[in-house]
Amino acid sequence: MAKKQFKAESKRLLDLMINSIYTHKEIFLRELISNASDAIDKIYYKALTDENISFNPSDYHIKVEADKKNRILKITDTGIGMTKEELEGNLGVIAKSGSLDFKKENEIKDGYDIIGQFGVGFYSAFMVSDKVTVISRAFGSETAYKWESSGADGYTIEPCEKENIGTEVILQIKQNTEDEEYDEFLEEYRLRALIKKYSDFVRYPIKMDKTVRNKKEGTGDEYEEHIEEQVVNSMVPIWRRNKNELTGEDYEKFYSEKHYGFDKPVKYIHISADGAVRYNSILYIPEKMPFDFYTKEFEKGLELYSSGILIMNKCPDLLPDYFSFVQGMVDSEDLSLNISRELLQHNRQLKLIAKNIKNKIKAELLGLLSSEREKYEAFFKSFGRQLKYGIYSEYGMNREDLEDLLMFYSSTEKKMATLNEYVGRMKENQKYIYYASGETTERIDNLPQTELVKDKGYEILYFTDDVDEFAIRMLRSYKDKEFKSVSDNDLGLEPDEDNKEAETDPVDKEMFDFMKDALKDKVHAVRLSKRLKSHPVCLVSEGVLSIEMEKVLNTMPNNQGVAAQKILEINKNHDIYATLKDAFLNDKDKLTRYTNLLYNQALLMEGLSVADPLEFSNEICKLMI
């Protein structure tokens, strides 16, 4: 029998396929099962248009059989089969999709999906096989044909016997090598696992034989073995079922089965979209953060299916980074896939799905915030940092998606508050949204810098996450109200009458200049404070970098030495001021000592460390003596 040659371009492509154009060799089983499902789809479609053909779903299935001894793996379907011309046309030319031609020729309308529009999937069989044999008998034909190939050297086609309509794909599995393992594709447990992973939701039964041990009747502990044919796949995915038929328990069970998390989800979202792009999706908002969420090992993304066939375990393009905690899946008939089926073309359909999913997640979170406040606050405790980081990392470009989801502890409410709630409570003459940064709400509450703002009756948001101030600097404003730190150089407030004493007293100016010189480059200036009420001293900053931002940046690698531009403020109404004035007039050495003590005291109140703790301790002892 004469061997036929592949076309030149097909031969080159087959060489690539044999040398693994796919990342994972296990993909071959998904491809062959998809083709088998496609073949059954075709006969189903013919039955819809030809009244002489009856289609009983129970008559159609896919069978996977492994013969370990002879290293044979067989995938059989009861689909439409192929004629000699179709075998040569579809299998003799790589990247020609018989399914796509079938769809075009028959003008299949929406709703009748043909899976096999992926092109070269059949040739993935050569990654694991020394030889591939296809035996097929077409619907309406009495003759079957056998197509056989050992790779790029060509193929043969000859008549053969086959009792039933359909196709058998027979793989002669390769021997193991030092670098590659092939025996696994003959193991029953491994084949079942691959079917569950990639083809669990193929709409026709995928069957395998299983050896079952049962006790012999009438005997003690004697067992007998027999072969039992079992359906491996689930067939009907939860996302294609009517929402009204599903319960919360069904969604939680799916969450657990898919290993999306070990917790119970705070919220599940079931989407069935049939507009500019068609897709089904089930999304979950977890209750707790995965243990590896902030590690390199964590992969964001949703499971991606095309017509029930798993394409990617994690498709990162479906989620923005700030929603990377969302788990779930998407199934669409409209997605275009490239030659390997593993890497998506970043096409319009994918972008539309991603945009719709992003908007749906935001809407569900806002709904949770509005109707189930406690649940939202529990969610925000776990993932609020990620939302804030989303604003910072994108330079505020995502503000519309995220700003209404943010929460911070409120000084007046003594609980978490949204920006919208803060603005809704602002006093009539209030210009800014005030905030203060620190390690805990308790420490922030005691900061000297908060005194004047609190005295005015203005609410303060407490920032305790290291990303908070960085994110707010990117956000800049909310509903036309700018953010203002209580440690900023200018608070935009009119000082109290007690603090309106002129700073132009020549003695005061000379004293502050002396104190500035004593501290050298540690501070940018020393001056009277307009914000302090009861505390003697505090540090404030001017410029882009705040004191809290300095602390955060200096904990990062390669950022040590970053410093905010600090100003030491002195409270003229505190008893310490008279002591400083007296020292300036009578004992400038003592003033130098006092200045350093006050500066170190201000550092400690800010949560910063003093440069020389021993010297600081000795200075205190000298004063006590």
Side-chain angles (χ1 to χ4, degrees):
M1 183 195 319
K3 182 174 286 187
K4 299 186 179 184
Q5 296 297 311
F6 292 108
K7 290 187 177 181
E9 64 276 13
S10 299
K11 187 173 181 178
R12 288 194 297 271
L13 196 51
L14 182 54
D15 279 328
L16 287 173
M17 181 65 69
I18 293 172
N19 291 292
S20 187
I21 197 169
Y22 289 91
T23 306
H24 304 292
K25 288 180 167 56
E26 65 188 36
I27 295 296
F28 84 93
L29 187 60
R30 180 192 73 182
E31 302 298 317
L32 297 181
I33 289 175
S34 297
N35 289 343
S37 176
D38 173 34
I40 301 174
D41 279 342
K42 289 178 181 178
I43 202 166
Y44 167 62
Y45 176 71
K46 279 193 174 294
L48 292 175
T49 57
D50 188 341
E51 60 184 18
N52 296 317
I53 302 173
S54 61
F55 184 90
N56 184 353
S58 62
D59 296 335
Y60 296 90
H61 67 271
I62 300 161
K63 184 75 178 281
V64 178
E65 302 170 87
D67 180 352
K68 291 175 68 174
K69 182 179 178 181
N70 296 304
R71 302 190 70 79
I72 295 293
L73 181 64
K74 184 192 295 186
I75 296 92
T76 305
D77 69 66
T78 56
I80 199 167
M82 287 179 279
T83 64
K84 178 182 179 182
E85 291 75 20
E86 287 170 334
L87 279 169
E88 186 163 357
N90 293 339
L91 305 187
V93 181
I94 294 179
K96 176 179 173 62
S97 171
S99 299
L100 192 57
D101 288 346
F102 181 89
K103 192 169 185 177
K104 289 177 180 176
E105 289 169 9
N106 291 277
E107 296 183 357
I108 297 176
K109 303 293 189 296
D110 289 345
Y112 302 108
D113 178 52
I114 298 294
I115 292 175
Q117 56 183 287
F118 308 124
V120 302
F122 167 77
Y123 288 89
S124 62
F126 285 99
M127 294 191 297
V128 299
S129 310
D130 289 323
K131 182 173 70 175
V132 179
T133 302
V134 180
I135 298 173
S136 191
R137 179 181 163 193
F139 177 80
S141 173
E142 297 297 324
T143 307
Y145 290 90
K146 180 172 75 172
W147 180 100
E148 196 165 77
S149 173
S150 295
D153 62 335
Y155 62 93
T156 60
I157 298 181
E158 60 179 334
C160 67
E161 295 294 323
K162 190 177 187 305
E163 184 177 351
N164 300 314
I165 294 166
T167 300
E168 295 176 9
V169 179
I170 304 164
L171 311 182
Q172 183 71 53
I173 299 298
K174 293 178 180 181
Q175 296 286 343
N176 289 345
T177 66
E178 289 184 6
D179 301 323
E180 299 288 350
E181 173 77 31
Y182 296 99
D183 286 357
E184 60 175 320
F185 302 123
L186 294 166
E187 296 289 347
E188 178 189 314
Y189 77 91
R190 179 65 172 142
L191 294 170
R192 284 174 173 269
L194 291 177
I195 292 168
K196 290 295 289 183
K197 179 179 180 180
Y198 292 108
S199 308
D200 197 32
F201 304 115
V202 168
R203 51 187 157 222
Y204 305 107
I206 303 171
K207 299 180 178 181
M208 284 187 70
D209 290 335
K210 184 173 183 178
T211 302
V212 179
R213 296 180 73 230
N214 292 320
K215 278 188 178 182
K216 281 186 178 181
E217 291 186 13
T219 65
D221 295 327
E222 290 186 38
Y223 286 83
E224 60 181 356
E225 294 184 349
H226 68 278
I227 303 299
E228 185 178 289
E229 189 177 67
Q230 296 181 345
V231 175
V232 180
N233 61 322
S234 302
M235 288 184 284
V236 181
I238 184 175
W239 59 82
R240 287 186 178 172
R241 291 168 60 186
N242 192 313
K243 297 178 190 178
N244 298 328
E245 300 173 358
L246 298 168
T247 65
E249 189 177 339
D250 292 322
Y251 290 107
E252 288 179 7
K253 183 180 178 183
F254 184 67
Y255 182 82
S256 177
E257 287 176 348
K258 298 299 289 181
H259 303 294
Y260 291 142
F262 297 104
D263 57 343
K264 281 191 176 182
V266 171
K267 189 84 175 174
Y268 58 82
I269 308 164
H270 191 160
I271 307 171
S272 297
D274 191 12
V277 61
R278 295 174 299 170
Y279 70 95
N280 293 291
S281 177
I282 296 180
L283 307 174
Y284 294 94
I285 298 169
E287 180 183 39
K288 296 178 182 177
M289 183 186 297
F291 69 93
D292 61 345
F293 189 67
Y294 286 113
T295 69
K296 292 180 180 179
E297 286 70 35
F298 180 81
E299 289 184 87
K300 78 157 187 170
L302 304 175
E303 287 185 319
L304 181 61
Y305 294 80
S306 182
S307 300
I309 306 298
L310 180 66
I311 303 305
M312 295 181 73
N313 275 318
K314 294 285 186 180
C315 180
D317 297 317
L318 287 169
L319 287 175
D321 284 343
Y322 48 85
F323 288 155
S324 59
F325 50 81
V326 174
Q327 300 288 335
M329 51 66 56
V330 172
D331 184 10
S332 176
E333 302 171 6
D334 295 337
L335 290 175
S336 300
L337 304 172
N338 74 356
I339 191 171
S340 72
R341 274 207 213 175
E342 292 180 272
L343 300 176
L344 281 168
Q345 297 171 352
H346 293 175
N347 56 15
R348 178 175 173 272
Q349 286 86 354
L350 185 70
K351 291 178 180 178
L352 278 174
I353 292 173
K355 183 180 179 182
N356 290 346
I357 284 175
K358 179 194 72 174
N359 292 337
K360 190 67 175 176
I361 293 170
K362 177 190 173 183
E364 290 293 331
L365 287 174
L366 287 173
L368 192 67
L369 172 61
S370 173
S371 60
E372 298 180 85
R373 179 68 172 237
E374 287 186 12
K375 279 190 175 182
Y376 184 82
E377 289 192 17
F379 151 78
F380 194 82
K381 186 177 180 181
S382 294
F383 299 106
R385 190 172 187 271
Q386 187 68 9
L387 302 182
K388 299 168 191 173
Y389 189 76
I391 290 178
Y392 170 67
S393 62
E394 297 293 331
Y395 303 101
M397 299 295 290
N398 299 313
R399 61 179 304 148
E400 290 184 6
D401 296 329
L402 298 174
E403 60 186 2
D404 288 324
L405 299 173
L406 301 182
M407 300 189 86
F408 303 96
Y409 186 84
S410 161
S411 64
T412 57
E413 295 295 306
K414 303 301 180 185
K415 62 182 181 180
M416 299 297 284
T418 66
L419 296 178
N420 187 54
E421 289 166 347
Y422 181 103
V423 170
R425 294 193 290 261
M426 285 178 68
K427 293 185 177 294
E428 187 175 343
N429 60 341
Q430 186 176 340
K431 299 178 183 177
Y432 301 107
I433 299 173
Y434 289 101
Y435 68 87
S437 302
E439 294 176 12
T440 65
T441 56
E442 292 79 11
R443 290 193 67 168
I444 296 173
D445 206 39
N446 293 320
L447 283 176
Q449 295 90 328
T450 64
E451 286 190 304
L452 180 59
V453 179
K454 285 181 180 178
D455 194 57
K456 291 283 187 181
Y458 296 154
E459 185 174 359
I460 303 172
L461 297 177
Y462 290 178
F463 291 177
T464 54
D465 272 346
D466 54 10
V467 71
D468 284 348
E469 193 166 4
F470 292 90
I472 290 302
R473 292 292 180 97
M474 294 299 173
L475 203 56
R476 296 184 181 178
S477 64
Y478 178 80
K479 292 189 174 180
D480 298 324
K481 296 291 185 180
E482 290 184 28
F483 292 94
K484 176 74 73 172
S485 170
V486 296
S487 296
D488 273 0
N489 180 30
D490 180 13
L491 287 178
L493 293 174
E494 288 297 324
D496 291 344
E497 291 297 326
D498 292 341
N499 280 343
K500 283 187 176 179
E501 294 185 30
E503 295 180 32
T504 53
D505 185 330
V507 177
D508 284 350
K509 186 176 186 310
E510 288 178 32
M511 181 176 72
F512 292 144
D513 287 343
F514 179 88
M515 295 172 73
K516 164 66 178 71
D517 291 340
L519 292 172
K520 299 179 181 177
D521 57 354
K522 294 176 184 177
V523 296
H524 179 65
V526 179
R527 70 183 183 197
L528 283 177
S529 178
K530 296 179 182 179
R531 77 189 75 215
L532 292 175
K533 304 288 289 182
S534 62
H535 291 82
V537 67
C538 73
L539 284 172
V540 299
S541 62
E542 64 180 8
V544 176
L545 197 64
S546 72
I547 294 172
E548 192 63 28
M549 293 168 78
E550 172 191 318
K551 288 195 289 184
V552 173
L553 290 173
N554 282 327
T555 63
M556 298 179 180
N558 304 319
N559 271 332
Q560 286 79 7
V562 174
Q565 191 166 278
K566 302 178 184 71
I567 297 171
L568 185 68
E569 289 194 350
I570 308 297
N571 183 0
K572 191 167 186 176
N573 297 314
H574 194 279
D575 292 342
I576 195 69
Y577 183 77
T579 303
L580 293 174
K581 196 77 168 276
D582 180 70
F584 174 68
L585 296 172
N586 301 302
D587 190 344
K588 288 189 171 54
D589 288 339
K590 184 180 285 188
L591 179 59
T592 299
R593 184 180 303 165
Y594 287 164
T595 300
N596 282 297
L597 282 171
L598 287 173
Y599 173 72
N600 285 323
Q601 180 185 347
L603 287 177
L604 291 173
M605 285 190 291
E606 286 293 331
L608 295 166
S609 58
V610 297
D612 191 338
L614 182 60
E615 182 185 0
F616 179 57
S617 177
N618 289 336
E619 287 297 315
I620 293 175
C621 290
K622 288 177 185 177
L623 283 176
M624 293 174 67
I625 294 169

